Amino acid sequence: MFRSHTCGELRLEHANSTVTLAGWVQTVRKFGSITFVDLRDRYGITQLLFGEELNSQLDANPLGREFVLQVTGQVQERSNKNPNIPTGAIEIKVSSFNILNKSAVPPFTIQDDTDGGDDLRMKYRFLDLRRNAVKKNLELRYAVNRSARNYLHEHHFMDIETPFLIKSTPEGARDFVVPSRMNAGQFYALPQSPQTFKQLLMVSGYDRYYQIVKCFRDEDLRADRQPEFTQIDCEMCFVEQEDILNTFEGLIKRIFKDVKGIDYTDKVERMSWEDAMWTYGNDKPDIRFGMQLLNLKFPAHTFPGRPSISNLIDGANFGVFDNAETVVAIAVPGCSEYTRKQTDELTDWVKRPQIGMMGLAFIKYNADGTLKSSVDKFYDEARLKAIAEAAGAKAGDLILILAGAEERTRKAMSELRLEMGKRLGLRKENEFKLLWVLDFPLFEYDPEENRWVARHHPFTSPKPDQIKTMIDNEPSIKDAARYLEHPYANIKANAYDMVLNGNEIGGGSIRIYQRDLQEKMFAALGMSEEEALHKFGFLLGAFEYGAPPHGGIAFGFDRLCSILGGSESIRDFIAFPKNNSGRDVMLDAPSTIDDKQLKELSIATKLND
Ligand code: ASP
């Protein structure tokens, strides 16, 4: 028997029993003739006491950090107990020990507060994984995985594997490709997601499918993206949107319960995409706090049917507002006493290139009811008060106003709102607020190619009452500057995203399941008939053999774990992640391959300058 117990298991009640432990040496402390060793394994740390009688053996076989050690001895009560660890009441009085393996001196300390920088820890990730902080994250990931599987299994979902070596399935990113040796000059693509496979499984009658599966996207990596990441991927047939929302709301609530012990009993709020953009400037709003946008001015075609309130700012001869496409405000609670220095700092904040605004206007709605503003040259107190109150401000609040082009200004205000929420402590780590965002636009305009692209992916169905708009109108855009006036711009999709604390954690849609509508969709995206057949002939063909109505969703598993774990980075929740340039610094991949391998693949490399 290698070990009788783990290093996290022994308590006072085990005193006097003889045990054998195995693990890694975390620290060695010598006090006169006795030596204390902290022995670590996955389950915890146990203190070992080597008495004087073992000194000559220890001298002959000195212990070092991260040595792999097996010890046998008696459990005894400790005189100075450590209340901070579960095994802190006992120690093992070692009677014999066996060094199972030595270790080189590790490049950083394997403790909660390590001295290793990011790069070093990534290079020696197998050592970093020994640290508690990282282990806790992987344990949480496994708990989420188990919880999801249990829930889905109980709801009759079946885990079915789908292939990795496939044909390109465009979902908005570039494919990773794999050359085929047996088919010279031809390539597989790695799946951006199992989208078309899960739809085919519906055609095959597996009415509830799931998979916790790797997806591969060759994107320019923004700070917190990985080229390979994991989804909880699901599909159902004979369902409507409502069934999907209920089923997967249930899944996330179950994960909250199992992993965090949180009873999320509230119904998940729902908001249309348009309302989200209008109220928060963002399609994944953090609804843990208010500070909703006051739309003082906006282009009518962006939000058709919303009443204009620009009379609140019009006619004051203030060029910045008069010439802006969009003017938006938020009321920041309790900040009317901001100093000049603080408002200047906020102005600099919105002028940073990432935010890109020219300036920031503000109104201080003082506690005594008076108003002071950076624009009081143009607006008298009554008008300032009207603006402040329209923004929902009370005495004591600070109103921040941005003006400029619609898209940029809305985005900037959304960022400013989040920043102020953070500064005021309104984005609490331990508060979780879910939201369904519904009714996304079906299409987005791609100015570079002057055509429509699918906002979600090409298999997403339009709202039933808008199918006719899609069929009756040609996709071509004659005047790029006025693309928003094209009938396609207002077609909404049967698509939904689940948002948690301002992060999109999942998204999906009710799919197209009729061949003719799917063909029309490909045509709307500028695909010729031949191209559609070449890329998606298999799916179009399958739709001719009794395809049932179906829909699904996929959750970003890594992101979900990072939010539940209270971390900003998904990397912390992946055992072997890549760095921000998509490199695995431990393996040193990607790397070149030798000429023999290239030859077998019938490939010659020629790098572009
Ligand atoms: N395959 C989609 C994605 O990866 C999710 C879905 O529509 O189910 O975003």
Side-chain angles (χ1 to χ4, degrees), residues 171 192-196 198-199 215 217 229 231-235 456-457 459-460 496 504 506-509 511 551-555:
E171 286 204 39
Q192 294 183 29
S193 88
Q195 183 62 35
T196 47
K198 65 177 177 175
Q199 291 192 245
C215 302
R217 296 185 190 175
F229 59 96
Q231 286 187 342
I232 308 177
D233 188 45
C234 309
E235 196 78 4
H456 194 48
H457 51 55
F459 317 106
T460 298
Y496 31 79
E504 181 204 322
S509 58
R511 324 296 185 191
I553 191 165
F555 291 92

Side-chain angles (χ1 to χ4, degrees), residues 73-321:
Q74 213 176 44
V75 182
Q76 63 182 31
E77 184 169 359
R78 255 164 88 165
S79 49
N80 65 332
K81 302 195 174 47
N82 178 353
N84 299 323
I85 58 170
T87 60
I90 56 100
E91 64 194 0
I92 312 297
K93 174 80 174 47
V94 178
S95 48
S96 66
F97 71 95
N98 180 12
I99 295 175
L100 299 172
N101 209 345
K102 290 185 175 173
S103 168
V105 176
F108 50 86
T109 54
I110 305 201
Q111 284 172 356
D112 290 4
D113 289 322
T114 177
D115 54 0
D118 239 23
D119 288 349
L120 199 61
R121 287 191 294 112
M122 283 303 144
K123 185 160 163 37
Y124 294 92
R125 184 65 169 171
F126 52 93
L127 293 179
D128 199 29
L129 287 168
R130 287 186 190 163
R131 292 172 54 237
N132 239 334
V134 188
K135 191 183 69 194
K136 270 199 337 242
N137 292 344
L138 291 191
E139 282 171 350
L140 180 134
R141 184 183 175 101
Y142 181 50
V144 176
N145 185 317
R146 254 173 16 241
S147 172
R149 285 189 190 283
N150 287 342
Y151 177 88
L152 291 166
H153 177 72
E154 286 159 25
H155 288 78
H156 308 289
F157 284 81
M158 196 167 150
D159 178 350
I160 304 175
E161 287 159 86
T162 51
F164 280 168
L165 294 176
I166 66 162
K167 186 173 169 129
S168 164
T169 342
E171 286 204 39
R174 276 184 214 94
D175 285 325
F176 280 104
V177 294
V178 181
S180 164
R181 180 183 57 81
M182 289 194 288
N183 304 274
Q186 296 189 336
F187 296 82
Y188 300 101
L190 300 180
Q192 294 183 29
S193 88
Q195 183 62 35
T196 47
F197 289 100
K198 65 177 177 175
Q199 291 192 245
L200 291 175
L201 286 169
M202 294 304 114
V203 180
S204 311
Y206 295 88
D207 66 339
R208 289 176 170 219
Y209 143 95
Y210 88 99
Q211 202 180 172
I212 298 186
V213 65
K214 274 285 169 73
C215 302
F216 306 87
R217 296 185 190 175
D218 188 2
E219 296 179 285
D220 294 332
L221 298 173
R222 279 186 259 136
D224 200 26
R225 291 264 180 105
Q226 288 278 310
E228 53 177 307
F229 59 96
T230 306
Q231 286 187 342
I232 308 177
D233 188 45
C234 309
E235 196 78 4
M236 305 167 86
C237 70
F238 304 127
V239 285
E240 289 168 349
Q241 177 165 302
E242 193 60 31
D243 303 302
I244 300 212
L245 300 189
N246 287 329
T247 305
F248 293 102
E249 204 168 302
L251 169 68
I252 297 300
K253 287 179 174 178
R254 171 69 169 269
I255 292 173
F256 275 145
K257 179 87 193 109
D258 289 349
V259 177
K260 303 288 289 182
I262 295 173
D263 265 318
Y264 197 106
T265 45
D266 297 349
K267 184 110 189 92
V268 173
E269 276 183 50
R270 298 178 183 191
M271 194 180 290
S272 71
W273 173 84
E274 200 187 291
D275 280 345
M277 295 306 288
W278 175 259
T279 323
Y280 296 98
N282 190 320
D283 62 7
K284 43 179 172 35
D286 186 344
I287 56 165
R288 283 175 296 181
F289 65 104
M291 273 193 231
Q292 297 183 349
L293 273 54
L294 172 69
N295 293 280
L296 286 160
K297 194 173 172 189
F298 56 91
H301 58 248
T302 318
F303 295 101
R306 308 254 177 183
S308 166
I309 53 160
S310 67
N311 60 310
L312 285 173
I313 50 170
D314 285 345
N317 277 328
F318 180 40
V320 174
F321 287 180

